Amino acid sequence: MAIEESGTGLPASIEAAWGLRERPGKGPRPGLTLGRIVDAAVGIASADGLGAVSMSRVAAELGVSTMSLYRYVSAKDELLTLMEDAAYGPPPPGEPAEDWRTGFTDWAWALRTAIARHPWVVNVPVSTPPSTPNSVAWMERGLACLRRTNLSEGEKVSVLMLVSGFVRNEARMTFDILAARRRSGQSIESSMASWARLLEKLTDAERFPAVTAALRTGEFDTPGGPDDEFVFGLERILDGVEALISARS
């Protein structure tokens, strides 16, 4: 039987994650808990990818029937939300730096590090605003970095969404490229060089003058450092935020 939603409007499994509802105490397997279910699902995703996670697979990992899971989580979408919360974990402890830019830079790097621990998390569909304990804690920490700026509360939220979206998308692209390289057995250097040679065959200066100019510099032949694109993109975004803050002064 599915778990009903309660007065908060949240599924009971999400309320349980907040400590607002007691976990089921009766049933054939008293040792089964919401935490064990989520941990098992995270383990499956880490080992075999997010696509391998199903209620039946999680039940098999725990040695219980699939139906027994529905006493704790009523649908796979709920399980994915709880898995995402567990994968990110809480933000780093302590107060953010006094300077907003330093604090937000630290926040973005910490978020990227959290994603790197469980790269599959970027493939969890974003279907609802943050509503789980860790996701709200990350939001609190990010907004706190902007507390001494003169941005409106709405602008602070927009900055948070902009930066978190960049971190998530950059991480997805980076990890997808690395996964493709592992599957092909080809190094990034070799792959980039092959791509540059292919572009040289496909393009010409008349039709693709900008691409040709970049090819002539050798820019496409060798990759930069693993963090170069992240650093560049984050700095440019924060330059824009800094310009907005200055305009509000």
Side-chain angles (χ1 to χ4, degrees):
M1 179 180 295
I3 302 174
E4 296 180 355
E5 294 187 357
S6 69
T8 66
L10 292 172
S13 62
I14 307 301
E15 285 196 331
W18 279 100
L20 299 177
R21 174 187 287 262
E22 293 184 2
R23 279 101 172 145
K26 298 180 181 180
R29 294 296 297 271
L32 187 61
T33 65
L34 182 62
R36 286 190 63 206
I37 293 169
V38 173
D39 288 346
V42 167
I44 293 169
S46 298
D48 300 323
L50 188 64
V53 177
S54 67
M55 298 295 273
S56 59
R57 174 75 185 274
V58 173
E61 289 287 326
L62 293 170
V64 300
S65 69
T66 303
M67 288 304 298
S68 66
L69 300 187
Y70 289 101
R71 289 176 51 79
Y72 299 83
V73 56
S74 65
K76 182 180 175 181
D77 286 348
E78 285 179 30
L79 180 58
L80 290 175
T81 298
L82 293 166
M83 289 170 60
E84 182 180 36
D85 197 60
Y88 279 111
E95 291 294 317
E98 291 291 322
D99 173 66
W100 76 265
R101 184 159 182 153
T102 300
F104 225 96
T105 298
D106 292 343
W107 182 86
W109 277 98
L111 187 63
R112 188 174 188 249
T113 299
I115 293 173
R117 290 195 295 264
H118 298 285
W120 53 263
V121 77
V122 297
N123 294 318
V124 176
V126 180
S127 56
T128 61
S131 60
T132 51
N134 289 329
S135 65
V136 174
W138 278 98
M139 182 171 65
E140 168 66 24
R141 181 59 174 266
L143 291 174
C145 295
L146 301 171
R147 64 193 185 282
R148 291 187 173 86
T149 69
N150 50 10
L151 298 179
S152 70
E153 296 306 315
E155 288 170 335
K156 292 174 187 177
V157 173
S158 294
V159 169
L160 184 81
M161 292 175 62
L162 176 65
V163 175
S164 62
F166 164 73
V167 175
R168 185 182 177 96
N169 289 332
E170 193 276 341
R172 183 198 299 273
M173 181 180 66
T174 298
F175 298 137
D176 283 351
I177 291 172
L178 292 176
R181 296 289 75 77
R182 285 193 295 269
R183 289 193 298 269
S184 68
Q186 194 176 29
S187 68
I188 295 179
E189 291 77 10
S190 176
S191 177
M192 290 292 290
S194 296
W195 179 53
R197 290 193 295 270
L198 176 63
L199 285 182
E200 288 174 350
K201 294 177 181 178
L202 297 174
T203 62
D204 60 78
E206 183 175 351
R207 186 179 179 187
F208 300 100
V211 173
T212 300
L215 282 167
R216 286 172 177 167
T217 66
E219 186 66 28
F220 293 158
D221 291 29
T222 56
D227 299 327
D228 286 358
E229 293 303 322
F230 182 79
V231 171
F232 179 84
L234 179 61
E235 287 298 307
R236 300 297 73 76
I237 290 173
L238 296 184
D239 285 345
V241 175
E242 189 163 3
L244 177 63
I245 292 173
S246 296
R248 293 287 183 269
S249 298

